């Protein structure tokens, strides 16, 4: 079911350590009840692609919040704030998890919520989605879109990102959908295979889809990496997956 | 890529940004997704004033960046040959006053 009448606004939410941050909130009009989705933006920041993706999910019936992971870094153009975040080594996994938990609580507190909340993320947000699905107790469905470094090089671990997400896989407690391009280098197909093997060994509920002719970020209409055919199919799988698990 | 892996350099200089000229004291360099140039990955350099957080950003193709490295080195080498010992102010000393 789709909703042409949606409402979008910037709202305040309570993130990690009780800090107040900004989030983009797009939801279908009507009494609901509606499932919720937390959309984790990619490294470039809280930018137009992610905001538009939130509206797309709302159009398909999901009250969607895209919280700004960089709200503590000041105001400015999303690309400038994204550059600032990068120069500071990004946000810590603990802070990110606290913010996602806060965004989930925001969704569940709405009067027309159905109580179920999924998480989706692109690129670095895919990695953070994987972490959220493993570390947060109340995620009902998760979609990892080409998240890199789910299997991290030990040399790349640091104080902000101290543990490879794959090491938390035993704690994954919701269905996981993964979308990947076979031409991607991060994650490369071999890494995706390794992640899938671990999910399978641990008896987790997951479905992975791999696309030929696509690399990284093939949903992003603003980049040369955009692949319309694969993106259309991928979005359909996302919507179907969330409808099945959150409806 | 999708990583926060960066190289940083302490620099002394100026750059012209949206509000005119400004001091820059840090260069942040990374090879990852650009914002504007139509490439999936680019060599990105942010020239930053760490006090105001303002930046001037450049996004280059890998080949362009390598060519730039060569040309910067060539310009420095020829410039040094001409100007070395000409009594210019010490950049380190100037940096402390700006």
């Amino acid at each position: 079911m789709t909703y042409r009448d949606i409402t979008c606004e910037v709202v305040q939410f309570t993130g990690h350590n009780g800090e107040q941050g900004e989030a983009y909130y797009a939801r279908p009009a009507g009494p609901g009840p509606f499932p919720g989705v937390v959309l984790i933006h990619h490294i470039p920041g809280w930018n137009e692609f992610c905001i538009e993706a939130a509206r797309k999910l709302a159009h398909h019936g999901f009250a969607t919040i895209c919280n700004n992971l960089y709200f503590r870094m000041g105001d400015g153009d999303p690309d400038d704030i994204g550059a600032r975040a990068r120069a500071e080594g990004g946000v810590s996994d603990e802070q990110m998890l606290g913010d996602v938990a806060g965004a989930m609580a925001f969704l569940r507190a709405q009067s027309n919520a159905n109580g179920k909340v999924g998480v989706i993320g692109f690129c670095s947000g895919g990695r953070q989605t994987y972490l959220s699905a493993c570390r947060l107790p109340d995620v009902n469905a998760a979609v990892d879109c080409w998240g890199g470094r789910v299997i991290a090089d030990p040399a790349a671990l640091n104080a902000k990102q101290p543990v490879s997400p794959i090491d938390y896989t035993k704690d994954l407690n919701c269905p996981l959908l993964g979308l990947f391009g076979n031409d991607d280098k991060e994650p490369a197909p071999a890494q995706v295979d390794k992640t899938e093997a671990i999910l399978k060994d641990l008896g987790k509920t997951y479905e992975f889809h791999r696309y030929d002719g696509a690399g990284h970020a093939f949903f992003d209409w603003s980049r040369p990496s955009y692949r319309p055919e694969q993106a259309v199919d991928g979005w359909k799988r996302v919507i179907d997956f969330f409808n099945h698990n959150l409806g | 890529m999708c990583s926060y892996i960066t190289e940083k350099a302490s620099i002394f200089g100026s750059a012209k940004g949206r509000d005119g000229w400004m001091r820059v004291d840090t260069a942040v360099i990374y090879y990852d997704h650009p914002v504007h140039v139509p490439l999936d990955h680019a060599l990105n350099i942010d020239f930053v004033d760490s006090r105001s957080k303002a930046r001037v950003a450049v996004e280059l193709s890998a080949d362009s960046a390598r060519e730039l490295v060569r040309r910067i080195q060539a310009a420095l080498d020829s410039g040094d040959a001409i100007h070395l010992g000409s009594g210019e102010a010490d950049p380190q000393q100037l940096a402390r006053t700006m």
Side-chain angles (χ1 to χ4, degrees), chain A residues 172-222:
Chain A
L172 177 70
N173 56 12
C174 70
L176 173 71
L177 171 66
L179 303 180
F180 307 98
N182 284 331
D183 296 334
D184 202 342
K185 301 289 191 295
E186 189 70 74
Q191 291 171 298
V192 176
D193 290 346
K194 193 171 177 184
T195 301
E196 179 171 24
I198 291 169
L199 288 163
K200 190 174 182 180
D201 282 351
L202 292 171
K204 301 300 180 183
T205 303
Y206 72 93
E207 55 178 277
F208 276 12
H209 298 280
R210 299 162 169 84
Y211 291 91
D212 287 330
H216 198 76
F218 58 90
F219 276 21
D220 191 342
W221 44 262
S222 68

Side-chain angles (χ1 to χ4, degrees), chain A residues 20-214:
Chain A
Q20 294 288 307
E22 61 196 350
Y24 188 78
Y25 180 39
R27 72 276 194 190
F34 297 116
V37 172
V38 177
L39 191 156
I40 305 178
H41 65 71
H42 50 183
I43 272 187
W46 197 49
N47 66 6
E48 187 175 350
F49 167 72
C50 296
I51 297 304
E52 183 165 316
R55 286 199 295 270
K56 184 176 184 70
L57 288 166
H59 175 78
H60 285 274
F62 304 98
T64 303
I65 187 168
C66 178
N67 52 298
N68 182 3
L69 293 174
Y70 303 155
F71 73 81
R72 297 169 183 84
M73 296 179 181
D75 295 325
D77 289 345
D79 60 296
D80 288 334
I81 303 302
R84 199 174 299 169
R86 177 184 293 277
E88 295 179 13
V91 297
S92 73
D93 286 341
E94 284 306 306
Q95 180 178 293
M96 177 278 297
L97 288 166
D99 285 357
V100 171
M104 293 175 67
F106 176 95
L107 291 172
R108 288 198 167 101
Q110 304 307 307
S111 60
N112 59 355
N114 79 349
K116 292 188 176 178
V117 175
V119 179
I120 185 172
F122 308 92
C123 191
S124 59
R127 173 190 173 278
Q128 290 164 330
T129 293
Y130 196 98
L131 262 181
S132 299
C134 295
R135 301 273 319 273
L136 299 177
D138 47 5
V139 178
N140 298 114
V143 180
D144 167 9
C145 295
W146 48 91
R149 298 183 304 116
V150 168
I151 300 173
D153 178 349
L157 299 176
N158 54 47
K160 288 189 171 180
Q161 300 173 356
V163 179
S164 182
I166 197 71
D167 292 344
Y168 291 113
T169 303
K170 64 178 180 2
D171 300 322
L172 177 70
N173 56 12
C174 70
L176 173 71
L177 171 66
L179 303 180
F180 307 98
N182 284 331
D183 296 334
D184 202 342
K185 301 289 191 295
E186 189 70 74
Q191 291 171 298
V192 176
D193 290 346
K194 193 171 177 184
T195 301
E196 179 171 24
I198 291 169
L199 288 163
K200 190 174 182 180
D201 282 351
L202 292 171
K204 301 300 180 183
T205 303
Y206 72 93
E207 55 178 277
F208 276 12
H209 298 280
R210 299 162 169 84
Y211 291 91
D212 287 330

Side-chain angles (χ1 to χ4, degrees), chain A residues 79-80 86-87 123 216 223, chain B residues 2-3 8 37 39-40 55:
Chain A
D79 60 296
D80 288 334
R86 177 184 293 277
C123 191
H216 198 76
R223 308 304 311 164
Chain B
C2 311
S3 75
K8 277 189 185 180
V37 69
L39 295 168
D40 289 332
R55 69 167 181 151

